[in-house]
Amino acid sequence: MGRQYNANHLGNSKHYQVQETNWYEISIGGTSQDLTFMVQSCTLPELSNPVIGVGYGNSTAKVAGKREVGDSTFSFMDAMVADIESQILKWQDQVYDSKTGKMGWCTDYKRQVTVTQYGPDGSYERTWKFEGCWPSRVSYGSLSGESADKKVIQVTITYDDAKRE
């Protein structure tokens, strides 16, 4: 009898457990508060190699260009006492101090961000390390007198590189 082409074998092995999108945590180095549990969502790295055309005679060969990394977006749920808004603002002020109008030193504002994904029982981990991270854009959310929704702060994180550990 040949191979069965159905999904029955997927339920019988740990190898086929689907990674769920809510089994993760984020750690940002150099912050004074632990922002790990206040993350609503994030995007994982976008890595690419642009195509470079090398022409010779009547033809072109395509080769890979330098690796490029995209930005990631993190959504933080604001917390009053922990004051997540203040923590992100302090980090953003290290990039550009709005009070003095001075740019910061990259050694002061670049951080390491770690995203760890877990298996359903926490026994398996996958880790992405983002290097040289800084907040390039922050939206501090919106307020409304007509709803009691949670306040979410969107942060675009620009980074130098991302590696899967």
Side-chain angles (χ1 to χ4, degrees):
M1 184 161 168
R3 175 162 160 60
Q4 290 183 359
Y5 290 97
N6 60 35
N8 290 339
H9 68 285
L10 297 179
N12 298 324
S13 172
K14 278 187 168 183
H15 298 288
Y16 297 106
Q17 175 72 36
V18 173
Q19 176 67 47
E20 293 188 26
T21 61
N22 61 343
W23 295 338
Y24 74 99
E25 67 182 11
I26 293 172
S27 174
I28 300 175
T31 55
S32 62
Q33 296 283 337
D34 185 3
L35 303 179
T36 299
F37 297 105
M38 297 307 295
V39 177
Q40 177 176 295
S41 65
C42 73
T43 57
L44 292 174
E46 182 178 314
L47 309 172
S48 64
N49 291 86
V51 177
I52 298 175
V54 180
Y56 186 78
N58 290 333
S59 65
T60 302
K62 295 177 183 175
V63 297
K66 290 182 188 178
R67 178 171 142 163
E68 295 179 355
V69 295
D71 295 338
S72 289
T73 302
F74 291 35
S75 298
F76 295 94
M77 294 174 283
D78 197 9
M80 291 299 292
V81 177
D83 199 355
I84 303 303
E85 183 179 86
S86 175
Q87 292 298 310
I88 294 169
L89 187 58
K90 284 178 189 174
W91 189 16
Q92 193 176 29
D93 278 347
Q94 289 177 328
V95 176
Y96 173 82
D97 190 332
S98 59
K99 294 175 192 82
T100 65
K102 294 181 180 179
M103 294 298 298
W105 292 91
C106 63
T107 55
D108 294 333
Y109 64 74
K110 284 191 172 188
R111 306 263 188 275
Q112 177 175 291
V113 173
T114 304
V115 178
T116 306
Q117 301 168 75
Y118 297 100
D121 62 356
S123 66
Y124 181 79
E125 294 181 11
R126 270 192 238 174
T127 302
W128 280 96
K129 292 206 184 254
F130 296 72
E131 300 289 339
C133 302
W134 54 280
S136 59
R137 180 184 170 116
V138 179
S139 173
Y140 286 97
S142 60
L143 303 174
S144 171
E146 297 181 8
S147 75
D149 292 337
K150 61 185 170 251
K151 182 172 168 253
V152 176
I153 301 170
Q154 298 263 344
V155 181
T156 300
I157 301 289
T158 297
Y159 52 96
D160 295 328
D161 200 8
K163 293 185 171 90
R164 169 105 185 263
E165 298 284 310

mmCIF file of all heavy atoms in Angstrom, residues 82-129:
data_model
loop_
_atom_site.group_PDB
_atom_site.id
_atom_site.type_symbol
_atom_site.label_atom_id
_atom_site.label_comp_id
_atom_site.label_asym_id
_atom_site.label_seq_id
_atom_site.Cartn_x
_atom_site.Cartn_y
_atom_site.Cartn_z
ATOM 1 N N ALA A 82 3.212 51.148 35.285
ATOM 2 C CA ALA A 82 4.505 50.861 34.650
ATOM 3 C C ALA A 82 4.867 51.955 33.653
ATOM 4 O O ALA A 82 6.028 52.123 33.305
ATOM 5 C CB ALA A 82 4.450 49.507 33.952
ATOM 6 N N ASP A 83 3.882 52.705 33.174
ATOM 7 C CA ASP A 83 4.053 53.827 32.252
ATOM 8 C C ASP A 83 4.900 53.434 31.044
ATOM 9 O O ASP A 83 6.004 53.941 30.838
ATOM 10 C CB ASP A 83 4.638 55.039 32.969
ATOM 11 C CG ASP A 83 4.386 56.329 32.184
ATOM 12 O OD1 ASP A 83 3.846 56.262 31.068
ATOM 13 O OD2 ASP A 83 4.759 57.400 32.694
ATOM 14 N N ILE A 84 4.362 52.499 30.274
ATOM 15 C CA ILE A 84 5.037 52.038 29.064
ATOM 16 C C ILE A 84 5.294 53.220 28.128
ATOM 17 O O ILE A 84 6.353 53.320 27.505
ATOM 18 C CB ILE A 84 4.186 50.958 28.351
ATOM 19 C CG1 ILE A 84 3.887 49.781 29.299
ATOM 20 C CG2 ILE A 84 4.858 50.478 27.081
ATOM 21 C CD1 ILE A 84 5.083 49.104 29.899
ATOM 22 N N GLU A 85 4.342 54.151 28.044
ATOM 23 C CA GLU A 85 4.493 55.338 27.204
ATOM 24 C C GLU A 85 5.773 56.098 27.565
ATOM 25 O O GLU A 85 6.547 56.498 26.698
ATOM 26 C CB GLU A 85 3.269 56.231 27.373
ATOM 27 C CG GLU A 85 3.268 57.459 26.497
ATOM 28 C CD GLU A 85 2.003 58.282 26.700
ATOM 29 O OE1 GLU A 85 1.990 59.118 27.634
ATOM 30 O OE2 GLU A 85 1.045 58.079 25.949
ATOM 31 N N SER A 86 6.020 56.277 28.853
ATOM 32 C CA SER A 86 7.209 56.991 29.319
ATOM 33 C C SER A 86 8.484 56.236 28.967
ATOM 34 O O SER A 86 9.492 56.844 28.577
ATOM 35 C CB SER A 86 7.118 57.199 30.837
ATOM 36 O OG SER A 86 8.296 57.774 31.322
ATOM 37 N N GLN A 87 8.466 54.917 29.101
ATOM 38 C CA GLN A 87 9.643 54.105 28.780
ATOM 39 C C GLN A 87 10.012 54.221 27.303
ATOM 40 O O GLN A 87 11.182 54.367 26.952
ATOM 41 C CB GLN A 87 9.401 52.642 29.142
ATOM 42 C CG GLN A 87 9.297 52.384 30.617
ATOM 43 C CD GLN A 87 10.581 52.736 31.326
ATOM 44 O OE1 GLN A 87 11.658 52.313 30.917
ATOM 45 N NE2 GLN A 87 10.485 53.527 32.371
ATOM 46 N N ILE A 88 9.008 54.167 26.440
ATOM 47 C CA ILE A 88 9.264 54.283 24.999
ATOM 48 C C ILE A 88 9.711 55.705 24.666
ATOM 49 O O ILE A 88 10.624 55.904 23.858
ATOM 50 C CB ILE A 88 8.017 53.855 24.202
ATOM 51 C CG1 ILE A 88 7.770 52.353 24.414
ATOM 52 C CG2 ILE A 88 8.196 54.170 22.719
ATOM 53 C CD1 ILE A 88 6.458 51.851 23.903
ATOM 54 N N LEU A 89 9.102 56.699 25.300
ATOM 55 C CA LEU A 89 9.492 58.092 25.073
ATOM 56 C C LEU A 89 10.945 58.332 25.479
ATOM 57 O O LEU A 89 11.690 59.023 24.775
ATOM 58 C CB LEU A 89 8.552 59.036 25.828
ATOM 59 C CG LEU A 89 8.717 60.521 25.563
ATOM 60 C CD1 LEU A 89 8.530 60.846 24.084
ATOM 61 C CD2 LEU A 89 7.737 61.328 26.388
ATOM 62 N N LYS A 90 11.380 57.751 26.593
ATOM 63 C CA LYS A 90 12.780 57.881 27.019
ATOM 64 C C LYS A 90 13.720 57.290 25.967
ATOM 65 O O LYS A 90 14.774 57.859 25.668
ATOM 66 C CB LYS A 90 12.999 57.184 28.362
ATOM 67 C CG LYS A 90 12.467 57.943 29.545
ATOM 68 C CD LYS A 90 12.696 57.156 30.825
ATOM 69 C CE LYS A 90 11.985 57.800 31.989
ATOM 70 N NZ LYS A 90 12.063 56.994 33.211
ATOM 71 N N TRP A 91 13.338 56.127 25.426
ATOM 72 C CA TRP A 91 14.159 55.487 24.393
ATOM 73 C C TRP A 91 14.189 56.364 23.142
ATOM 74 O O TRP A 91 15.231 56.600 22.557
ATOM 75 C CB TRP A 91 13.629 54.092 24.106
ATOM 76 C CG TRP A 91 14.481 53.238 23.215
ATOM 77 C CD1 TRP A 91 15.798 53.432 22.870
ATOM 78 C CD2 TRP A 91 14.082 52.034 22.566
ATOM 79 N NE1 TRP A 91 16.231 52.421 22.049
ATOM 80 C CE2 TRP A 91 15.187 51.549 21.852
ATOM 81 C CE3 TRP A 91 12.898 51.325 22.525
ATOM 82 C CZ2 TRP A 91 15.151 50.374 21.094
ATOM 83 C CZ3 TRP A 91 12.857 50.157 21.776
ATOM 84 C CH2 TRP A 91 13.972 49.687 21.065
ATOM 85 N N GLN A 92 13.031 56.877 22.755
ATOM 86 C CA GLN A 92 12.954 57.743 21.576
ATOM 87 C C GLN A 92 13.760 59.031 21.788
ATOM 88 O O GLN A 92 14.411 59.521 20.866
ATOM 89 C CB GLN A 92 11.488 58.059 21.258
ATOM 90 C CG GLN A 92 11.294 58.681 19.901
ATOM 91 C CD GLN A 92 9.830 58.895 19.584
ATOM 92 O OE1 GLN A 92 8.999 59.096 20.463
ATOM 93 N NE2 GLN A 92 9.504 58.855 18.304
ATOM 94 N N ASP A 93 13.760 59.579 22.997
ATOM 95 C CA ASP A 93 14.540 60.781 23.293
ATOM 96 C C ASP A 93 16.046 60.523 23.252
ATOM 97 O O ASP A 93 16.830 61.459 23.075
ATOM 98 C CB ASP A 93 14.156 61.367 24.656
ATOM 99 C CG ASP A 93 12.906 62.240 24.593
ATOM 100 O OD1 ASP A 93 12.477 62.588 23.472
ATOM 101 O OD2 ASP A 93 12.354 62.553 25.664
ATOM 102 N N GLN A 94 16.452 59.266 23.413
ATOM 103 C CA GLN A 94 17.876 58.950 23.264
ATOM 104 C C GLN A 94 18.298 59.033 21.801
ATOM 105 O O GLN A 94 19.454 59.305 21.507
ATOM 106 C CB GLN A 94 18.185 57.569 23.827
ATOM 107 C CG GLN A 94 18.107 57.527 25.334
ATOM 108 C CD GLN A 94 18.344 56.146 25.893
ATOM 109 O OE1 GLN A 94 18.017 55.138 25.269
ATOM 110 N NE2 GLN A 94 18.907 56.087 27.089
ATOM 111 N N VAL A 95 17.351 58.814 20.889
ATOM 112 C CA VAL A 95 17.632 58.948 19.455
ATOM 113 C C VAL A 95 17.686 60.431 19.094
ATOM 114 O O VAL A 95 18.632 60.901 18.469
ATOM 115 C CB VAL A 95 16.551 58.228 18.612
ATOM 116 C CG1 VAL A 95 16.802 58.447 17.124
ATOM 117 C CG2 VAL A 95 16.506 56.745 18.941
ATOM 118 N N TYR A 96 16.659 61.158 19.478
ATOM 119 C CA TYR A 96 16.571 62.603 19.230
ATOM 120 C C TYR A 96 15.898 63.238 20.431
ATOM 121 O O TYR A 96 14.739 62.954 20.714
ATOM 122 C CB TYR A 96 15.756 62.884 17.956
ATOM 123 C CG TYR A 96 15.491 64.352 17.734
ATOM 124 C CD1 TYR A 96 16.459 65.166 17.152
ATOM 125 C CD2 TYR A 96 14.286 64.932 18.123
ATOM 126 C CE1 TYR A 96 16.227 66.522 16.963
ATOM 127 C CE2 TYR A 96 14.036 66.284 17.929
ATOM 128 C CZ TYR A 96 15.019 67.074 17.352
ATOM 129 O OH TYR A 96 14.795 68.410 17.158
ATOM 130 N N ASP A 97 16.637 64.065 21.129
ATOM 131 C CA ASP A 97 16.106 64.705 22.328
ATOM 132 C C ASP A 97 15.263 65.904 21.926
ATOM 133 O O ASP A 97 15.788 66.925 21.459
ATOM 134 C CB ASP A 97 17.247 65.140 23.245
ATOM 135 C CG ASP A 97 16.755 65.588 24.619
ATOM 136 O OD1 ASP A 97 15.602 66.069 24.721
ATOM 137 O OD2 ASP A 97 17.523 65.449 25.576
ATOM 138 N N SER A 98 13.954 65.791 22.109
ATOM 139 C CA SER A 98 13.039 66.854 21.678
ATOM 140 C C SER A 98 13.195 68.130 22.520
ATOM 141 O O SER A 98 12.832 69.214 22.062
ATOM 142 C CB SER A 98 11.593 66.360 21.728
ATOM 143 O OG SER A 98 11.260 65.946 23.039
ATOM 144 N N LYS A 99 13.741 68.018 23.725
ATOM 145 C CA LYS A 99 13.934 69.201 24.570
ATOM 146 C C LYS A 99 15.128 70.042 24.113
ATOM 147 O O LYS A 99 15.085 71.264 24.135
ATOM 148 C CB LYS A 99 14.111 68.779 26.019
ATOM 149 C CG LYS A 99 12.868 68.151 26.626
ATOM 150 C CD LYS A 99 13.162 67.642 28.033
ATOM 151 C CE LYS A 99 12.048 66.768 28.535
ATOM 152 N NZ LYS A 99 12.114 65.404 28.084
ATOM 153 N N THR A 100 16.216 69.374 23.713
ATOM 154 C CA THR A 100 17.439 70.087 23.328
ATOM 155 C C THR A 100 17.622 70.188 21.822
ATOM 156 O O THR A 100 18.429 70.982 21.358
ATOM 157 C CB THR A 100 18.680 69.386 23.917
ATOM 158 O OG1 THR A 100 18.795 68.079 23.323
ATOM 159 C CG2 THR A 100 18.589 69.281 25.430
ATOM 160 N N GLY A 101 16.904 69.337 21.062
ATOM 161 C CA GLY A 101 17.072 69.318 19.607
ATOM 162 C C GLY A 101 18.348 68.626 19.154
ATOM 163 O O GLY A 101 18.762 68.771 18.011
ATOM 164 N N LYS A 102 18.975 67.839 20.029
ATOM 165 C CA LYS A 102 20.227 67.166 19.702
ATOM 166 C C LYS A 102 19.983 65.694 19.379
ATOM 167 O O LYS A 102 19.169 65.033 20.012
ATOM 168 C CB LYS A 102 21.221 67.278 20.858
ATOM 169 C CG LYS A 102 21.689 68.701 21.104
ATOM 170 C CD LYS A 102 22.688 68.739 22.234
ATOM 171 C CE LYS A 102 23.145 70.172 22.477
ATOM 172 N NZ LYS A 102 24.093 70.259 23.577
ATOM 173 N N MET A 103 20.737 65.201 18.391
ATOM 174 C CA MET A 103 20.725 63.776 18.067
ATOM 175 C C MET A 103 21.538 63.023 19.110
ATOM 176 O O MET A 103 22.501 63.561 19.651
ATOM 177 C CB MET A 103 21.326 63.518 16.683
ATOM 178 C CG MET A 103 20.526 64.100 15.538
ATOM 179 S SD MET A 103 18.854 63.414 15.400
ATOM 180 C CE MET A 103 19.176 61.702 15.101
ATOM 181 N N GLY A 104 21.165 61.777 19.359
ATOM 182 C CA GLY A 104 21.893 60.961 20.323
ATOM 183 C C GLY A 104 22.993 60.140 19.667
ATOM 184 O O GLY A 104 23.072 60.029 18.439
ATOM 185 N N TRP A 105 23.832 59.577 20.484
ATOM 186 C CA TRP A 105 24.884 58.673 20.032
ATOM 187 C C TRP A 105 24.271 57.285 19.838
ATOM 188 O O TRP A 105 23.544 56.796 20.712
ATOM 189 C CB TRP A 105 26.002 58.592 21.064
ATOM 190 C CG TRP A 105 26.780 59.862 21.194
ATOM 191 C CD1 TRP A 105 26.534 60.888 22.055
ATOM 192 C CD2 TRP A 105 27.918 60.232 20.426
ATOM 193 N NE1 TRP A 105 27.445 61.879 21.873
ATOM 194 C CE2 TRP A 105 28.329 61.507 20.879
ATOM 195 C CE3 TRP A 105 28.649 59.635 19.402
ATOM 196 C CZ2 TRP A 105 29.415 62.183 20.358
ATOM 197 C CZ3 TRP A 105 29.737 60.295 18.881
ATOM 198 C CH2 TRP A 105 30.114 61.560 19.348
ATOM 199 N N CYS A 106 24.593 56.635 18.733
ATOM 200 C CA CYS A 106 23.988 55.320 18.475
ATOM 201 C C CYS A 106 24.374 54.307 19.549
ATOM 202 O O CYS A 106 23.607 53.394 19.836
ATOM 203 C CB CYS A 106 24.320 54.818 17.077
ATOM 204 S SG CYS A 106 26.052 54.537 16.754
ATOM 205 N N THR A 107 25.537 54.471 20.179
ATOM 206 C CA THR A 107 25.907 53.550 21.257
ATOM 207 C C THR A 107 24.980 53.694 22.466
ATOM 208 O O THR A 107 24.886 52.783 23.275
ATOM 209 C CB THR A 107 27.360 53.785 21.716
ATOM 210 O OG1 THR A 107 27.512 55.162 22.071
ATOM 211 C CG2 THR A 107 28.347 53.427 20.628
ATOM 212 N N ASP A 108 24.297 54.825 22.572
ATOM 213 C CA ASP A 108 23.365 55.046 23.684
ATOM 214 C C ASP A 108 21.945 54.574 23.381
ATOM 215 O O ASP A 108 21.216 54.193 24.293
ATOM 216 C CB ASP A 108 23.328 56.527 24.069
ATOM 217 C CG ASP A 108 24.650 57.013 24.647
ATOM 218 O OD1 ASP A 108 25.391 56.188 25.224
ATOM 219 O OD2 ASP A 108 24.932 58.218 24.503
ATOM 220 N N TYR A 109 21.513 54.651 22.104
ATOM 221 C CA TYR A 109 20.112 54.320 21.815
ATOM 222 C C TYR A 109 19.892 52.970 21.144
ATOM 223 O O TYR A 109 18.790 52.454 21.173
ATOM 224 C CB TYR A 109 19.424 55.423 21.019
ATOM 225 C CG TYR A 109 19.954 55.709 19.630
ATOM 226 C CD1 TYR A 109 19.702 54.852 18.565
ATOM 227 C CD2 TYR A 109 20.662 56.872 19.380
ATOM 228 C CE1 TYR A 109 20.163 55.143 17.297
ATOM 229 C CE2 TYR A 109 21.116 57.173 18.103
ATOM 230 C CZ TYR A 109 20.869 56.299 17.068
ATOM 231 O OH TYR A 109 21.316 56.585 15.811
ATOM 232 N N LYS A 110 20.928 52.383 20.543
ATOM 233 C CA LYS A 110 20.729 51.074 19.903
ATOM 234 C C LYS A 110 20.663 49.982 20.961
ATOM 235 O O LYS A 110 21.463 49.958 21.892
ATOM 236 C CB LYS A 110 21.834 50.784 18.894
ATOM 237 C CG LYS A 110 21.663 51.567 17.622
ATOM 238 C CD LYS A 110 22.598 51.059 16.548
ATOM 239 C CE LYS A 110 22.278 51.711 15.224
ATOM 240 N NZ LYS A 110 23.049 51.104 14.136
ATOM 241 N N ARG A 111 19.696 49.107 20.821
ATOM 242 C CA ARG A 111 19.443 48.038 21.785
ATOM 243 C C ARG A 111 19.399 46.683 21.078
ATOM 244 O O ARG A 111 19.287 46.609 19.866
ATOM 245 C CB ARG A 111 18.091 48.233 22.463
ATOM 246 C CG ARG A 111 17.857 49.561 23.103
ATOM 247 C CD ARG A 111 18.146 49.470 24.583
ATOM 248 N NE ARG A 111 17.755 50.673 25.289
ATOM 249 C CZ ARG A 111 18.526 51.747 25.406
ATOM 250 N NH1 ARG A 111 19.697 51.775 24.836
ATOM 251 N NH2 ARG A 111 18.114 52.795 26.089
ATOM 252 N N GLN A 112 19.413 45.636 21.880
ATOM 253 C CA GLN A 112 19.149 44.298 21.364
ATOM 254 C C GLN A 112 17.727 43.923 21.753
ATOM 255 O O GLN A 112 17.316 44.115 22.894
ATOM 256 C CB GLN A 112 20.120 43.274 21.940
ATOM 257 C CG GLN A 112 19.816 41.852 21.461
ATOM 258 C CD GLN A 112 20.856 40.872 21.932
ATOM 259 O OE1 GLN A 112 21.985 40.901 21.489
ATOM 260 N NE2 GLN A 112 20.467 39.997 22.850
ATOM 261 N N VAL A 113 16.978 43.433 20.790
ATOM 262 C CA VAL A 113 15.621 42.958 21.041
ATOM 263 C C VAL A 113 15.611 41.462 20.780
ATOM 264 O O VAL A 113 16.125 41.002 19.760
ATOM 265 C CB VAL A 113 14.593 43.677 20.135
ATOM 266 C CG1 VAL A 113 13.212 43.063 20.287
ATOM 267 C CG2 VAL A 113 14.550 45.165 20.453
ATOM 268 N N THR A 114 15.041 40.709 21.704
ATOM 269 C CA THR A 114 14.956 39.254 21.563
ATOM 270 C C THR A 114 13.492 38.855 21.529
ATOM 271 O O THR A 114 12.714 39.253 22.403
ATOM 272 C CB THR A 114 15.655 38.551 22.745
ATOM 273 O OG1 THR A 114 17.006 39.018 22.826
ATOM 274 C CG2 THR A 114 15.640 37.048 22.572
ATOM 275 N N VAL A 115 13.115 38.085 20.513
ATOM 276 C CA VAL A 115 11.770 37.533 20.408
ATOM 277 C C VAL A 115 11.901 36.024 20.581
ATOM 278 O O VAL A 115 12.590 35.364 19.803
ATOM 279 C CB VAL A 115 11.110 37.859 19.054
ATOM 280 C CG1 VAL A 115 9.726 37.224 18.961
ATOM 281 C CG2 VAL A 115 11.027 39.359 18.834
ATOM 282 N N THR A 116 11.260 35.498 21.619
ATOM 283 C CA THR A 116 11.317 34.062 21.894
ATOM 284 C C THR A 116 9.934 33.473 21.695
ATOM 285 O O THR A 116 8.961 33.941 22.288
ATOM 286 C CB THR A 116 11.797 33.797 23.343
ATOM 287 O OG1 THR A 116 13.042 34.467 23.544
ATOM 288 C CG2 THR A 116 11.971 32.310 23.590
ATOM 289 N N GLN A 117 9.863 32.455 20.849
ATOM 290 C CA GLN A 117 8.612 31.738 20.604
ATOM 291 C C GLN A 117 8.670 30.422 21.381
ATOM 292 O O GLN A 117 9.738 29.815 21.489
ATOM 293 C CB GLN A 117 8.460 31.430 19.116
ATOM 294 C CG GLN A 117 8.458 32.678 18.251
ATOM 295 C CD GLN A 117 8.594 32.321 16.790
ATOM 296 O OE1 GLN A 117 7.653 31.849 16.179
ATOM 297 N NE2 GLN A 117 9.776 32.540 16.236
ATOM 298 N N TYR A 118 7.537 29.991 21.904
ATOM 299 C CA TYR A 118 7.483 28.791 22.729
ATOM 300 C C TYR A 118 6.546 27.753 22.146
ATOM 301 O O TYR A 118 5.590 28.078 21.450
ATOM 302 C CB TYR A 118 6.992 29.142 24.143
ATOM 303 C CG TYR A 118 7.924 30.065 24.874
ATOM 304 C CD1 TYR A 118 7.667 31.426 24.946
ATOM 305 C CD2 TYR A 118 9.070 29.573 25.475
ATOM 306 C CE1 TYR A 118 8.536 32.281 25.611
ATOM 307 C CE2 TYR A 118 9.940 30.418 26.142
ATOM 308 C CZ TYR A 118 9.670 31.769 26.203
ATOM 309 O OH TYR A 118 10.523 32.609 26.851
ATOM 310 N N GLY A 119 6.818 26.499 22.515
ATOM 311 C CA GLY A 119 5.883 25.424 22.228
ATOM 312 C C GLY A 119 4.728 25.500 23.212
ATOM 313 O O GLY A 119 4.758 26.295 24.159
ATOM 314 N N PRO A 120 3.707 24.673 23.042
ATOM 315 C CA PRO A 120 2.502 24.785 23.869
ATOM 316 C C PRO A 120 2.752 24.573 25.362
ATOM 317 O O PRO A 120 2.046 25.132 26.187
ATOM 318 C CB PRO A 120 1.564 23.725 23.312
ATOM 319 C CG PRO A 120 2.437 22.774 22.582
ATOM 320 C CD PRO A 120 3.605 23.577 22.082
ATOM 321 N N ASP A 121 3.769 23.796 25.728
ATOM 322 C CA ASP A 121 4.043 23.566 27.145
ATOM 323 C C ASP A 121 5.297 24.307 27.607
ATOM 324 O O ASP A 121 5.756 24.124 28.729
ATOM 325 C CB ASP A 121 4.187 22.067 27.432
ATOM 326 C CG ASP A 121 5.351 21.436 26.683
ATOM 327 O OD1 ASP A 121 6.018 22.128 25.882
ATOM 328 O OD2 ASP A 121 5.606 20.233 26.915
ATOM 329 N N GLY A 122 5.870 25.145 26.745
ATOM 330 C CA GLY A 122 7.056 25.916 27.096
ATOM 331 C C GLY A 122 8.361 25.152 27.008
ATOM 332 O O GLY A 122 9.418 25.690 27.297
ATOM 333 N N SER A 123 8.324 23.892 26.589
ATOM 334 C CA SER A 123 9.541 23.076 26.570
ATOM 335 C C SER A 123 10.387 23.295 25.317
ATOM 336 O O SER A 123 11.524 22.874 25.266
ATOM 337 C CB SER A 123 9.186 21.592 26.683
ATOM 338 O OG SER A 123 8.473 21.181 25.517
ATOM 339 N N TYR A 124 9.852 23.944 24.321
ATOM 340 C CA TYR A 124 10.599 24.198 23.083
ATOM 341 C C TYR A 124 10.646 25.699 22.845
ATOM 342 O O TYR A 124 9.650 26.390 23.030
ATOM 343 C CB TYR A 124 9.925 23.492 21.898
ATOM 344 C CG TYR A 124 10.652 23.689 20.600
ATOM 345 C CD1 TYR A 124 11.786 22.946 20.302
ATOM 346 C CD2 TYR A 124 10.227 24.639 19.686
ATOM 347 C CE1 TYR A 124 12.469 23.143 19.124
ATOM 348 C CE2 TYR A 124 10.910 24.836 18.495
ATOM 349 C CZ TYR A 124 12.027 24.080 18.218
ATOM 350 O OH TYR A 124 12.719 24.278 17.051
ATOM 351 N N GLU A 125 11.815 26.191 22.463
ATOM 352 C CA GLU A 125 11.970 27.621 22.213
ATOM 353 C C GLU A 125 12.636 27.864 20.865
ATOM 354 O O GLU A 125 13.505 27.115 20.466
ATOM 355 C CB GLU A 125 12.857 28.276 23.293
ATOM 356 C CG GLU A 125 12.279 28.272 24.654
ATOM 357 C CD GLU A 125 13.186 28.960 25.664
ATOM 358 O OE1 GLU A 125 14.165 29.611 25.253
ATOM 359 O OE2 GLU A 125 12.904 28.838 26.861
ATOM 360 N N ARG A 126 12.200 28.932 20.218
ATOM 361 C CA ARG A 126 12.849 29.484 19.030
ATOM 362 C C ARG A 126 13.144 30.934 19.337
ATOM 363 O O ARG A 126 12.271 31.643 19.840
ATOM 364 C CB ARG A 126 11.906 29.492 17.837
ATOM 365 C CG ARG A 126 11.924 28.309 17.001
ATOM 366 C CD ARG A 126 11.157 28.684 15.755
ATOM 367 N NE ARG A 126 10.055 27.766 15.629
ATOM 368 C CZ ARG A 126 9.115 27.850 14.733
ATOM 369 N NH1 ARG A 126 9.087 28.853 13.899
ATOM 370 N NH2 ARG A 126 8.172 26.965 14.652
ATOM 371 N N THR A 127 14.320 31.399 19.007
ATOM 372 C CA THR A 127 14.693 32.769 19.358
ATOM 373 C C THR A 127 15.224 33.521 18.148
ATOM 374 O O THR A 127 16.061 33.010 17.406
ATOM 375 C CB THR A 127 15.776 32.769 20.464
ATOM 376 O OG1 THR A 127 15.265 32.064 21.589
ATOM 377 C CG2 THR A 127 16.146 34.165 20.867
ATOM 378 N N TRP A 128 14.715 34.737 17.976
ATOM 379 C CA TRP A 128 15.248 35.701 17.016
ATOM 380 C C TRP A 128 15.919 36.804 17.813
ATOM 381 O O TRP A 128 15.341 37.323 18.769
ATOM 382 C CB TRP A 128 14.135 36.328 16.180
ATOM 383 C CG TRP A 128 13.656 35.473 15.058
ATOM 384 C CD1 TRP A 128 12.577 34.636 15.062
ATOM 385 C CD2 TRP A 128 14.216 35.382 13.744
ATOM 386 N NE1 TRP A 128 12.439 34.031 13.845
ATOM 387 C CE2 TRP A 128 13.444 34.481 13.008
ATOM 388 C CE3 TRP A 128 15.315 35.982 13.124
ATOM 389 C CZ2 TRP A 128 13.712 34.153 11.685
ATOM 390 C CZ3 TRP A 128 15.593 35.661 11.803
ATOM 391 C CH2 TRP A 128 14.802 34.754 11.100
ATOM 392 N N LYS A 129 17.127 37.174 17.427
ATOM 393 C CA LYS A 129 17.816 38.312 18.044
ATOM 394 C C LYS A 129 17.947 39.411 17.001
ATOM 395 O O LYS A 129 18.505 39.202 15.931
ATOM 396 C CB LYS A 129 19.183 37.903 18.558
ATOM 397 C CG LYS A 129 19.087 36.963 19.735
ATOM 398 C CD LYS A 129 20.303 37.039 20.602
ATOM 399 C CE LYS A 129 20.188 36.018 21.696
ATOM 400 N NZ LYS A 129 19.896 36.527 22.941
#
